Amino acid sequence: MPYYRGVCNFCGTGCGHLLQVEEGRVRGVYPLPGHPLSQGRLCVRGWHIHELLQTEERITGAFIRENGQLRQVALNEALAYAAKKLQKLSGEEIAFLASPRASNEDNYLFGKFARAVMKSNNLSLASDAGQEESARVLLEGCGWPAATDSLSRLKQADFILVAGGDLTRQNPIVASEIHRARRAGAFVATISPRKTQMARLSRLHLRPAPGTMALVFEALARIIYEEKKVDLEYLNKSTENYQDYLNYLEKINLEEILDLTGIAREALTELAGRLSSAKLAYVFYPTGVQSLDRRTMAALFNLMLITGKLGQGEGGIIPVAGLSNLLGSYDMGLSPDFLPGYLRVADENSCQKFEELWQTKINRTPGKSVSANLAENKSLRALMVVDHDEEIIRNVSRIKELELVIYFGAYQNAFARLANVIIPRPSYAEADGTYTNFERRVQLNRQKVKPLAEVQPLWKTLSWLAQALGHNWHYESAEQVMAEISRVVPQYSGLTYEKLDSSLGIKWPVDERHPEGTDCLLLKQNNAKFRFVLEEKSLSQSALFAEKSTNFPFKLTVGRSNYFWHQNSVMKRTFIPKREYNALLLLYPKGFVEISAEDASRLNLREKQLVRLISESAEITLAARISPDVLPGQLYIPYFVEEMIPEFLLRQVAELEKNEEYFLPVKLEKVG
Amino acid sequence: MYWLEQSQVEMLLSKLAENYELFGPRRDEVSGEVIFDRLEDLHQLDLSAPIPYNPPKYILFPHYEEILKYRYNRKTKEVAIERINHLKPKALVGLRACDLNGLMCLDRFFLGQEFVDEIYLEHRKKLFLVSNTCVRPFPQCFCVCTDSGPAAREGFDLDLTLAGERYLVEVGSKKGQKMVEELGLKEAGPEAAGWKKKVVDESVSSFDAFAVENKAWISRATNRLTTGFIKPEVWEFIGNQCFECGACSFVCPTCSCFNVEDVNRLDGTTDRVRTWDSCSFEGYTKMAGDHNPRKPVEDRRNKRFFCKLSYSQSKKYLRPGCVGCGRCARVCPGDIGLPNVVTYIRREITGE
Ligand code: SF4
Ligand code: SF4
Ligand code: SF4
């Protein structure tokens, strides 16, 4: 029986697969047909995960750095060394960089280690992800931090809106489900400046100017309100602050919005009509890299609320996590201010609850993300990092100043070069663990291959460290960690390995009321009150842009693709996806910038001609790629083209990554 | 022909297990789906299971396989080559006719051309093949349109057809003959061929009722493809829906695209690795260069269906390159498996 059931560990879709294992090695992969979400499909990444799992570019032993040199040592020696160093640190002095592809068990203990052992709330994921912002908006608006429904009824939908990103690239199997729903009759609309494949598969594609998507949602709400299609009775009954929102809508100047967004009124009216008459409506937006910004998510939430699409329970808002366990990472509290289960560090009762559960004091001072720490925290002395999948490391010079960098990793990585202590980790096929996909589906992925003796799961190495630091951590298995998670995280309270083993995932909340999990979050909460999420600030980028537009007439945006995931640190260990990446680079060895045919002809540019992009702070030379996918006035760089980033985008990369609504004003010149 | 009682199936398997690793359809206990897998326990074999989700292709042409190992000595500048030869004999039991035909297409690709692929040959010559007639088609099947089922005509060592409670066994090779003799199976007499024909005819006539997913229109589509009378918009429409995942090639029992990589190992040796590949990938065909980024995708799609259905390709394989298993329809994120493409072509012809 060489084929074993498991879960793809790349993106947050969480497709079911079968790993082919022969003589202790992963030799192939095949889609798992009966999986309720992926139903026997995988994307190009998922089809090549076995290539990654076979690489020998692994971290196979523990290392400590002495006199600048890394020296391989026994695992327990490295741990003892790390413990001795950690003894002298706490709170502000240390920060924790977690991995959104690690299991819930590993992530939960990593967070607990930060808070309970090291008394630090400086805990975050590698890329500051839109997932957290999305959780905040949804918590504020409806009391739940994640997808309000799953995809099980998507085929019955009559309206689907995809806002931003390109799901056909980021989460292809989610896009495939939307495509199938369209074939079954749903009206699918995409809103994105760029003509993506998702847009090609849609009935309607709106292309607002970069930075104006929030305005589009507000305009839609305004149109629906104007047309008196708003059910005031419902709003009165089910929402707390609808009057504030209506007041806000009344102040909107529709003409101005049309002008700023560049969208025709008829298109907006059509979309508004489709949405307000829909019986079962879903909106999707990507989280993680290339997410929407907070204001846009809030505007979208409000639009769904005013049209009554949340009150019916089914359907609603589906944030699509770009990374395997991104949602699970937040469920486990890998954030400066969310404790496990989305309780707040700022809330005294929550802190007391955790002190009781963990039997130790925790720090009440809210922490900061790791990148904020590296940028601002002068007292920072140490960093603990789990599997940094990205190739580019920001704040390298600051990291080099730190006294202690402990890196827990499965694969060789540039970050390991900055570490003083390296602790090996198993690949996800080498350990038991659960992963939570964007639908809230918690899936157990069993160990299929035995790792080398010195390679121990993170929950175990962390337990040893905690013990060495005087904490009573006695976990014998990932299952025991899950048993604790189920006591600590209310949404996970009904989960056990036994239950998970005989299922293909269970969607949280799993508790006494929902022992088999919950498809649709809002369905059973019929007396729930919603809130419109209102934003104080609205310094829109368009205002910002207006000042600069004369000098920097182009709006530059960035995006991602199938193969070029994670700046290639993961994909470059495969054959086929790597080759596909190189095939593109072969044509444009210096990288490329996409420009519309109109602008190209206006500027007299030929395909592949070199151009210089100049922003306020930097410049770069690239080949022009004339593309029907971008509008005049816009430029697009595939962010994955690693070589482009350090030179040009690095300063903006944090902003560019955070949300898709961000763009960089630039000018463009021909070279030579 | 011979009779194999249900109670004798285990005997056949045990006998095979003496000399072969056993492969056959088994059900995954949680998802309930059928996988053509190595059987650790004879009882895992389920001869009544529907067509497995994966074709047995991977057994002869693995997803990832070291085909050669070499060590380069820097000092002497010599290369020491080591052949990898660890292949065990395998018995494939319960092959559906489409998959057996798929295997024969692979034979023609790997063995029937100017160069014989030695690694494939190594796998191939150690096989024992037991096919299993589909007495009733499954929803995704259209082998009757591609002349590859529901019963196997050749290529097997033994062929089973469930007739009532027991199996009619047809012998297809000397190896097979030896096996039935060793097992002491009862001869079925001169009427056996007629019984088998009756079972197969019934199966064929039940396609309308049971094989409901993919009503193909293969011959007309073949015509169109070969003559090139398909409007570019049809390919554009199809190309727009392709997610470029490669699945259609990976799951196809007849697709033989592969990629070769040299991988340096930590011990100083280098493995030459062969992996599955797909014509849906840009890097496979290096057809890029056009500056309409979608155009190459359409062309690649067009190429695949040409490969599966056109006359010129059929001549190469001595049969259509599609064996009607319907798998590419189930795995395709874009819903453009071969049967759907045939439908689009039909619509174009009929203007539906
Ligand atoms: S969509 Fe995501 S989870 Fe599914 S196969 Fe692709 S990378 Fe893996
Ligand atoms: S083209 Fe599709 S239906 Fe035909 S043999 Fe290949 S996978 Fe099966
Ligand atoms: S399975 Fe479908 S989406 Fe994937 S490469 Fe083939 S045709 Fe394209």
Side-chain angles (χ1 to χ4, degrees), chain A residues 1-3 5 22 27 29-30 34 40 54 56 176 179 183 197 579-580, chain B residues 30 37-38 40 53 64 66 240-242 251 265-266 277 282-283 333-334 344:
Chain A
M1 199 180 82
Y3 279 112
R5 205 164 7 92
E22 304 274 3
R27 305 290 288 174
V29 65
Y30 209 80
Q54 293 209 63
E56 287 191 323
S176 173
H179 179 50
R183 285 172 49 84
Q197 190 182 5
R579 180 194 68 197
E580 294 305 303
Chain B
V30 175
D37 205 348
R38 194 176 67 225
E40 251 134 41
Y53 200 61
Y64 183 111
E66 288 86 1
N240 274 345
Q241 299 179 69
C242 178
V251 305
R265 298 299 182 195
L266 293 176
D277 207 336
E282 182 169 8
Y344 295 143

mmCIF file of all heavy atoms in Angstrom, chain A residues 1-3 5 22 27 29-30 34 40 54 56 176 179 183 197 579-580, chain B residues 30 37-38 40 53 64 66 240-242 251 265-266 277 282-283 333-334 344:
data_model
loop_
_atom_site.group_PDB
_atom_site.id
_atom_site.type_symbol
_atom_site.label_atom_id
_atom_site.label_comp_id
_atom_site.label_asym_id
_atom_site.label_seq_id
_atom_site.Cartn_x
_atom_site.Cartn_y
_atom_site.Cartn_z
ATOM 1 N N MET A 1 0.829 -1.201 0.000
ATOM 2 C CA MET A 1 0.000 0.000 0.000
ATOM 3 C C MET A 1 0.860 1.244 0.000
ATOM 4 O O MET A 1 0.996 1.919 0.998
ATOM 5 C CB MET A 1 -0.900 -0.014 1.230
ATOM 6 C CG MET A 1 -2.079 0.901 1.116
ATOM 7 S SD MET A 1 -3.102 0.867 2.575
ATOM 8 C CE MET A 1 -2.241 1.985 3.659
ATOM 9 N N PRO A 2 1.469 1.586 -1.101
ATOM 10 C CA PRO A 2 2.362 2.738 -1.067
ATOM 11 C C PRO A 2 1.656 4.093 -1.064
ATOM 12 O O PRO A 2 2.304 5.090 -0.864
ATOM 13 C CB PRO A 2 3.214 2.569 -2.335
ATOM 14 C CG PRO A 2 2.399 1.737 -3.249
ATOM 15 C CD PRO A 2 1.475 0.921 -2.419
ATOM 16 N N TYR A 3 0.364 4.157 -1.305
ATOM 17 C CA TYR A 3 -0.325 5.454 -1.335
ATOM 18 C C TYR A 3 -0.994 5.758 0.008
ATOM 19 O O TYR A 3 -1.852 5.008 0.451
ATOM 20 C CB TYR A 3 -1.389 5.477 -2.430
ATOM 21 C CG TYR A 3 -0.828 5.768 -3.817
ATOM 22 C CD1 TYR A 3 -0.821 4.812 -4.813
ATOM 23 C CD2 TYR A 3 -0.317 7.028 -4.110
ATOM 24 C CE1 TYR A 3 -0.315 5.089 -6.080
ATOM 25 C CE2 TYR A 3 0.194 7.316 -5.371
ATOM 26 C CZ TYR A 3 0.189 6.348 -6.354
ATOM 27 O OH TYR A 3 0.689 6.637 -7.592
ATOM 28 N N ARG A 5 -2.988 8.635 2.516
ATOM 29 C CA ARG A 5 -3.809 9.827 2.509
ATOM 30 C C ARG A 5 -3.147 10.981 3.261
ATOM 31 O O ARG A 5 -2.559 10.784 4.310
ATOM 32 C CB ARG A 5 -5.144 9.482 3.163
ATOM 33 C CG ARG A 5 -6.281 10.323 2.766
ATOM 34 C CD ARG A 5 -7.644 9.707 3.148
ATOM 35 N NE ARG A 5 -7.600 8.515 3.954
ATOM 36 C CZ ARG A 5 -7.629 8.508 5.280
ATOM 37 N NH1 ARG A 5 -7.658 9.643 5.945
ATOM 38 N NH2 ARG A 5 -7.628 7.373 5.934
ATOM 39 N N GLU A 22 7.720 4.774 -0.796
ATOM 40 C CA GLU A 22 8.398 3.491 -1.005
ATOM 41 C C GLU A 22 9.689 3.510 -0.199
ATOM 42 O O GLU A 22 10.470 4.444 -0.324
ATOM 43 C CB GLU A 22 8.769 3.297 -2.487
ATOM 44 C CG GLU A 22 7.621 3.402 -3.464
ATOM 45 C CD GLU A 22 6.874 2.097 -3.647
ATOM 46 O OE1 GLU A 22 7.218 1.112 -2.965
ATOM 47 O OE2 GLU A 22 5.939 2.077 -4.468
ATOM 48 N N ARG A 27 7.748 9.152 -3.108
ATOM 49 C CA ARG A 27 8.124 8.961 -4.502
ATOM 50 C C ARG A 27 7.138 9.570 -5.493
ATOM 51 O O ARG A 27 7.417 9.663 -6.688
ATOM 52 C CB ARG A 27 8.246 7.461 -4.816
ATOM 53 C CG ARG A 27 9.180 6.739 -3.896
ATOM 54 C CD ARG A 27 10.600 7.141 -4.150
ATOM 55 N NE ARG A 27 11.069 6.594 -5.414
ATOM 56 C CZ ARG A 27 12.246 6.873 -5.958
ATOM 57 N NH1 ARG A 27 13.046 7.721 -5.360
ATOM 58 N NH2 ARG A 27 12.606 6.330 -7.086
ATOM 59 N N VAL A 29 2.928 11.634 -5.913
ATOM 60 C CA VAL A 29 1.731 12.195 -5.288
ATOM 61 C C VAL A 29 0.574 12.001 -6.252
ATOM 62 O O VAL A 29 0.772 11.909 -7.470
ATOM 63 C CB VAL A 29 1.961 13.688 -4.951
ATOM 64 C CG1 VAL A 29 2.157 14.522 -6.208
ATOM 65 C CG2 VAL A 29 0.812 14.262 -4.138
ATOM 66 N N TYR A 30 -0.617 11.890 -5.716
ATOM 67 C CA TYR A 30 -1.801 11.725 -6.549
ATOM 68 C C TYR A 30 -2.951 12.404 -5.821
ATOM 69 O O TYR A 30 -2.996 12.389 -4.600
ATOM 70 C CB TYR A 30 -2.091 10.229 -6.760
ATOM 71 C CG TYR A 30 -2.778 9.966 -8.075
ATOM 72 C CD1 TYR A 30 -2.048 9.918 -9.256
ATOM 73 C CD2 TYR A 30 -4.156 9.817 -8.134
ATOM 74 C CE1 TYR A 30 -2.682 9.722 -10.469
ATOM 75 C CE2 TYR A 30 -4.797 9.611 -9.345
ATOM 76 C CZ TYR A 30 -4.052 9.563 -10.509
ATOM 77 O OH TYR A 30 -4.679 9.378 -11.713
ATOM 78 N N GLY A 34 -11.834 11.374 -3.115
ATOM 79 C CA GLY A 34 -13.007 11.567 -2.258
ATOM 80 C C GLY A 34 -12.936 12.799 -1.382
ATOM 81 O O GLY A 34 -13.822 13.026 -0.568
ATOM 82 N N GLY A 40 -10.396 15.380 -5.856
ATOM 83 C CA GLY A 40 -9.536 14.764 -6.855
ATOM 84 C C GLY A 40 -8.800 15.722 -7.759
ATOM 85 O O GLY A 40 -8.303 15.318 -8.795
ATOM 86 N N GLN A 54 11.507 15.197 -1.534
ATOM 87 C CA GLN A 54 12.659 14.332 -1.750
ATOM 88 C C GLN A 54 13.972 15.064 -1.740
ATOM 89 O O GLN A 54 15.024 14.450 -1.879
ATOM 90 C CB GLN A 54 12.544 13.664 -3.123
ATOM 91 C CG GLN A 54 11.416 12.724 -3.185
ATOM 92 C CD GLN A 54 11.730 11.640 -4.182
ATOM 93 O OE1 GLN A 54 12.662 10.882 -4.020
ATOM 94 N NE2 GLN A 54 10.964 11.579 -5.215
ATOM 95 N N GLU A 56 17.416 16.742 -1.003
ATOM 96 C CA GLU A 56 18.406 16.503 0.051
ATOM 97 C C GLU A 56 18.891 17.810 0.663
ATOM 98 O O GLU A 56 19.753 17.798 1.530
ATOM 99 C CB GLU A 56 19.586 15.713 -0.520
ATOM 100 C CG GLU A 56 19.210 14.268 -0.785
ATOM 101 C CD GLU A 56 20.429 13.405 -1.096
ATOM 102 O OE1 GLU A 56 21.363 13.879 -1.762
ATOM 103 O OE2 GLU A 56 20.436 12.251 -0.659
ATOM 104 N N SER A 176 -11.109 26.877 -9.128
ATOM 105 C CA SER A 176 -11.774 25.833 -9.895
ATOM 106 C C SER A 176 -13.208 25.624 -9.398
ATOM 107 O O SER A 176 -14.131 25.426 -10.198
ATOM 108 C CB SER A 176 -10.966 24.532 -9.772
ATOM 109 O OG SER A 176 -11.653 23.461 -10.353
ATOM 110 N N HIS A 179 -15.199 28.371 -10.753
ATOM 111 C CA HIS A 179 -15.413 28.096 -12.179
ATOM 112 C C HIS A 179 -16.548 27.082 -12.362
ATOM 113 O O HIS A 179 -17.429 27.248 -13.214
ATOM 114 C CB HIS A 179 -14.098 27.576 -12.748
ATOM 115 C CG HIS A 179 -14.127 27.220 -14.194
ATOM 116 N ND1 HIS A 179 -14.610 28.067 -15.165
ATOM 117 C CD2 HIS A 179 -13.717 26.101 -14.846
ATOM 118 C CE1 HIS A 179 -14.503 27.481 -16.344
ATOM 119 N NE2 HIS A 179 -13.972 26.282 -16.178
ATOM 120 N N ARG A 183 -20.195 27.425 -14.147
ATOM 121 C CA ARG A 183 -20.752 26.515 -15.140
ATOM 122 C C ARG A 183 -22.116 25.985 -14.722
ATOM 123 O O ARG A 183 -22.936 25.628 -15.561
ATOM 124 C CB ARG A 183 -19.773 25.368 -15.407
ATOM 125 C CG ARG A 183 -18.592 25.825 -16.273
ATOM 126 C CD ARG A 183 -17.499 24.785 -16.399
ATOM 127 N NE ARG A 183 -17.979 23.450 -16.757
ATOM 128 C CZ ARG A 183 -18.223 23.040 -17.994
ATOM 129 N NH1 ARG A 183 -18.029 23.851 -18.996
ATOM 130 N NH2 ARG A 183 -18.654 21.821 -18.210
ATOM 131 N N GLN A 197 -6.596 35.534 -14.965
ATOM 132 C CA GLN A 197 -7.358 34.406 -15.509
ATOM 133 C C GLN A 197 -8.718 34.307 -14.819
ATOM 134 O O GLN A 197 -9.723 33.981 -15.445
ATOM 135 C CB GLN A 197 -6.596 33.094 -15.358
ATOM 136 C CG GLN A 197 -7.280 31.980 -16.153
ATOM 137 C CD GLN A 197 -6.607 30.639 -16.012
ATOM 138 O OE1 GLN A 197 -5.663 30.481 -15.248
ATOM 139 N NE2 GLN A 197 -7.095 29.655 -16.739
ATOM 140 N N ARG A 579 11.360 24.671 -13.381
ATOM 141 C CA ARG A 579 11.612 24.834 -14.811
ATOM 142 C C ARG A 579 10.646 25.853 -15.417
ATOM 143 O O ARG A 579 11.020 26.678 -16.250
ATOM 144 C CB ARG A 579 11.446 23.499 -15.529
ATOM 145 C CG ARG A 579 11.693 23.621 -17.023
ATOM 146 C CD ARG A 579 11.196 22.404 -17.761
ATOM 147 N NE ARG A 579 9.756 22.325 -17.709
ATOM 148 C CZ ARG A 579 9.070 21.220 -17.968
ATOM 149 N NH1 ARG A 579 9.703 20.100 -18.262
ATOM 150 N NH2 ARG A 579 7.760 21.216 -17.903
ATOM 151 N N GLU A 580 9.407 25.801 -14.985
ATOM 152 C CA GLU A 580 8.417 26.733 -15.529
ATOM 153 C C GLU A 580 8.783 28.169 -15.192
ATOM 154 O O GLU A 580 8.622 29.077 -15.991
ATOM 155 C CB GLU A 580 7.028 26.395 -14.988
ATOM 156 C CG GLU A 580 6.514 25.055 -15.474
ATOM 157 C CD GLU A 580 6.516 24.960 -16.996
ATOM 158 O OE1 GLU A 580 5.877 25.809 -17.623
ATOM 159 O OE2 GLU A 580 7.183 24.059 -17.539
ATOM 160 N N VAL B 30 -11.373 5.661 4.326
ATOM 161 C CA VAL B 30 -12.087 6.867 4.745
ATOM 162 C C VAL B 30 -12.803 7.561 3.581
ATOM 163 O O VAL B 30 -13.977 7.896 3.682
ATOM 164 C CB VAL B 30 -11.144 7.852 5.475
ATOM 165 C CG1 VAL B 30 -11.872 9.139 5.791
ATOM 166 C CG2 VAL B 30 -10.625 7.217 6.746
ATOM 167 N N ASP B 37 -3.307 0.091 -6.263
ATOM 168 C CA ASP B 37 -2.235 0.227 -5.278
ATOM 169 C C ASP B 37 -1.535 -1.104 -5.067
ATOM 170 O O ASP B 37 -2.044 -2.162 -5.471
ATOM 171 C CB ASP B 37 -2.851 0.687 -3.953
ATOM 172 C CG ASP B 37 -1.872 1.423 -3.069
ATOM 173 O OD1 ASP B 37 -0.662 1.394 -3.358
ATOM 174 O OD2 ASP B 37 -2.326 2.036 -2.088
ATOM 175 N N ARG B 38 -0.381 -1.040 -4.432
ATOM 176 C CA ARG B 38 0.264 -2.292 -4.058
ATOM 177 C C ARG B 38 -0.521 -2.895 -2.897
ATOM 178 O O ARG B 38 -0.878 -2.199 -1.945
ATOM 179 C CB ARG B 38 1.712 -2.053 -3.634
ATOM 180 C CG ARG B 38 2.500 -3.361 -3.577
ATOM 181 C CD ARG B 38 3.957 -3.135 -3.266
ATOM 182 N NE ARG B 38 4.111 -2.632 -1.932
ATOM 183 C CZ ARG B 38 4.905 -1.627 -1.601
ATOM 184 N NH1 ARG B 38 5.613 -1.027 -2.532
ATOM 185 N NH2 ARG B 38 4.997 -1.217 -0.361
ATOM 186 N N GLU B 40 -0.951 -5.010 0.319
ATOM 187 C CA GLU B 40 -0.168 -5.618 1.370
ATOM 188 C C GLU B 40 -0.858 -6.870 1.867
ATOM 189 O O GLU B 40 -0.245 -7.755 2.448
ATOM 190 C CB GLU B 40 0.039 -4.623 2.509
ATOM 191 C CG GLU B 40 1.473 -4.163 2.552
ATOM 192 C CD GLU B 40 1.620 -2.662 2.704
ATOM 193 O OE1 GLU B 40 0.846 -2.086 3.484
ATOM 194 O OE2 GLU B 40 2.503 -2.099 2.036
ATOM 195 N N TYR B 53 -9.069 5.533 -9.501
ATOM 196 C CA TYR B 53 -8.819 6.934 -9.824
ATOM 197 C C TYR B 53 -7.479 7.107 -10.528
ATOM 198 O O TYR B 53 -7.310 7.986 -11.350
ATOM 199 C CB TYR B 53 -8.862 7.766 -8.547
ATOM 200 C CG TYR B 53 -9.088 9.226 -8.803
ATOM 201 C CD1 TYR B 53 -10.257 9.649 -9.426
ATOM 202 C CD2 TYR B 53 -8.159 10.184 -8.431
ATOM 203 C CE1 TYR B 53 -10.476 10.987 -9.682
ATOM 204 C CE2 TYR B 53 -8.382 11.534 -8.677
ATOM 205 C CZ TYR B 53 -9.538 11.927 -9.304
ATOM 206 O OH TYR B 53 -9.753 13.256 -9.550
ATOM 207 N N TYR B 64 8.383 9.480 -10.314
ATOM 208 C CA TYR B 64 9.745 9.937 -10.039
ATOM 209 C C TYR B 64 10.598 8.692 -9.997
ATOM 210 O O TYR B 64 10.338 7.793 -9.203
ATOM 211 C CB TYR B 64 9.736 10.626 -8.674
ATOM 212 C CG TYR B 64 11.039 11.246 -8.213
ATOM 213 C CD1 TYR B 64 11.166 12.630 -8.118
ATOM 214 C CD2 TYR B 64 12.123 10.464 -7.815
ATOM 215 C CE1 TYR B 64 12.337 13.218 -7.670
ATOM 216 C CE2 TYR B 64 13.296 11.051 -7.371
ATOM 217 C CZ TYR B 64 13.395 12.433 -7.295
ATOM 218 O OH TYR B 64 14.548 13.015 -6.835
ATOM 219 N N GLU B 66 14.720 7.086 -10.464
ATOM 220 C CA GLU B 66 16.142 7.178 -10.807
ATOM 221 C C GLU B 66 16.388 6.162 -11.911
ATOM 222 O O GLU B 66 16.117 4.973 -11.733
ATOM 223 C CB GLU B 66 17.031 6.832 -9.613
ATOM 224 C CG GLU B 66 17.046 7.888 -8.508
ATOM 225 C CD GLU B 66 15.912 7.716 -7.517
ATOM 226 O OE1 GLU B 66 15.110 6.760 -7.683
ATOM 227 O OE2 GLU B 66 15.821 8.518 -6.577
ATOM 228 N N ASN B 240 -8.517 29.460 -22.229
ATOM 229 C CA ASN B 240 -8.810 30.334 -21.101
ATOM 230 C C ASN B 240 -9.152 29.555 -19.843
ATOM 231 O O ASN B 240 -9.032 30.054 -18.744
ATOM 232 C CB ASN B 240 -9.999 31.248 -21.420
ATOM 233 C CG ASN B 240 -9.548 32.493 -22.138
ATOM 234 O OD1 ASN B 240 -8.359 32.806 -22.155
ATOM 235 N ND2 ASN B 240 -10.494 33.200 -22.740
ATOM 236 N N GLN B 241 -9.635 28.349 -20.019
ATOM 237 C CA GLN B 241 -10.065 27.569 -18.860
ATOM 238 C C GLN B 241 -8.975 26.649 -18.328
ATOM 239 O O GLN B 241 -9.181 25.949 -17.356
ATOM 240 C CB GLN B 241 -11.298 26.740 -19.229
ATOM 241 C CG GLN B 241 -12.468 27.614 -19.635
ATOM 242 C CD GLN B 241 -13.674 26.789 -20.024
ATOM 243 O OE1 GLN B 241 -14.281 26.148 -19.191
ATOM 244 N NE2 GLN B 241 -13.995 26.794 -21.296
ATOM 245 N N CYS B 242 -7.830 26.635 -18.995
ATOM 246 C CA CYS B 242 -6.771 25.724 -18.546
ATOM 247 C C CYS B 242 -5.983 26.361 -17.409
ATOM 248 O O CYS B 242 -5.503 27.476 -17.535
ATOM 249 C CB CYS B 242 -5.845 25.383 -19.700
ATOM 250 S SG CYS B 242 -4.487 24.324 -19.187
ATOM 251 N N VAL B 251 -2.737 11.852 -15.217
ATOM 252 C CA VAL B 251 -3.710 10.787 -14.945
ATOM 253 C C VAL B 251 -4.055 9.977 -16.187
ATOM 254 O O VAL B 251 -4.809 9.013 -16.104
ATOM 255 C CB VAL B 251 -5.022 11.344 -14.356
ATOM 256 C CG1 VAL B 251 -4.740 12.172 -13.119
ATOM 257 C CG2 VAL B 251 -5.791 12.154 -15.382
ATOM 258 N N ARG B 265 23.628 14.106 -5.369
ATOM 259 C CA ARG B 265 23.343 13.585 -4.042
ATOM 260 C C ARG B 265 24.459 13.959 -3.073
ATOM 261 O O ARG B 265 25.593 14.233 -3.495
ATOM 262 C CB ARG B 265 23.193 12.054 -4.102
ATOM 263 C CG ARG B 265 22.056 11.572 -4.979
ATOM 264 C CD ARG B 265 20.723 12.069 -4.493
ATOM 265 N NE ARG B 265 19.630 11.546 -5.321
ATOM 266 C CZ ARG B 265 18.396 12.045 -5.306
ATOM 267 N NH1 ARG B 265 18.101 13.078 -4.547
ATOM 268 N NH2 ARG B 265 17.462 11.528 -6.067
ATOM 269 N N LEU B 266 24.126 13.903 -1.807
ATOM 270 C CA LEU B 266 25.105 14.307 -0.797
ATOM 271 C C LEU B 266 26.332 13.402 -0.801
ATOM 272 O O LEU B 266 27.420 13.805 -0.448
ATOM 273 C CB LEU B 266 24.452 14.283 0.596
ATOM 274 C CG LEU B 266 23.363 15.335 0.805
ATOM 275 C CD1 LEU B 266 22.725 15.153 2.178
ATOM 276 C CD2 LEU B 266 23.921 16.737 0.656
ATOM 277 N N ASP B 277 5.872 14.510 -16.966
ATOM 278 C CA ASP B 277 5.825 15.886 -17.441
ATOM 279 C C ASP B 277 4.511 16.063 -18.195
ATOM 280 O O ASP B 277 3.756 15.098 -18.372
ATOM 281 C CB ASP B 277 7.024 16.158 -18.350
ATOM 282 C CG ASP B 277 7.413 17.632 -18.346
ATOM 283 O OD1 ASP B 277 6.549 18.468 -18.040
ATOM 284 O OD2 ASP B 277 8.569 17.933 -18.660
ATOM 285 N N GLU B 282 4.418 25.381 -20.155
ATOM 286 C CA GLU B 282 5.157 26.242 -21.060
ATOM 287 C C GLU B 282 6.584 25.735 -21.242
ATOM 288 O O GLU B 282 7.098 25.654 -22.348
ATOM 289 C CB GLU B 282 5.174 27.648 -20.457
ATOM 290 C CG GLU B 282 5.868 28.653 -21.315
ATOM 291 C CD GLU B 282 5.636 30.073 -20.815
ATOM 292 O OE1 GLU B 282 5.062 30.252 -19.725
ATOM 293 O OE2 GLU B 282 6.037 30.987 -21.536
ATOM 294 N N GLY B 283 7.215 25.371 -20.152
ATOM 295 C CA GLY B 283 8.611 24.964 -20.209
ATOM 296 C C GLY B 283 8.811 23.643 -20.938
ATOM 297 O O GLY B 283 9.904 23.334 -21.381
ATOM 298 N N PRO B 333 -9.142 21.072 -13.181
ATOM 299 C CA PRO B 333 -9.719 22.218 -12.478
ATOM 300 C C PRO B 333 -10.492 23.127 -13.426
ATOM 301 O O PRO B 333 -11.368 23.879 -12.994
ATOM 302 C CB PRO B 333 -8.509 22.962 -11.919
ATOM 303 C CG PRO B 333 -7.348 22.060 -12.056
ATOM 304 C CD PRO B 333 -7.675 21.049 -13.121
ATOM 305 N N GLY B 334 -10.176 23.057 -14.717
ATOM 306 C CA GLY B 334 -10.842 23.938 -15.665
ATOM 307 C C GLY B 334 -12.057 23.299 -16.321
ATOM 308 O O GLY B 334 -12.687 23.905 -17.174
ATOM 309 N N TYR B 344 -17.391 20.595 -26.844
ATOM 310 C CA TYR B 344 -17.260 21.942 -27.420
ATOM 311 C C TYR B 344 -17.115 21.859 -28.935
ATOM 312 O O TYR B 344 -17.653 22.679 -29.669
ATOM 313 C CB TYR B 344 -16.062 22.685 -26.818
ATOM 314 C CG TYR B 344 -16.198 22.978 -25.346
ATOM 315 C CD1 TYR B 344 -15.105 22.908 -24.494
ATOM 316 C CD2 TYR B 344 -17.433 23.325 -24.791
ATOM 317 C CE1 TYR B 344 -15.231 23.170 -23.137
ATOM 318 C CE2 TYR B 344 -17.569 23.581 -23.441
ATOM 319 C CZ TYR B 344 -16.464 23.502 -22.621
ATOM 320 O OH TYR B 344 -16.589 23.758 -21.289
#
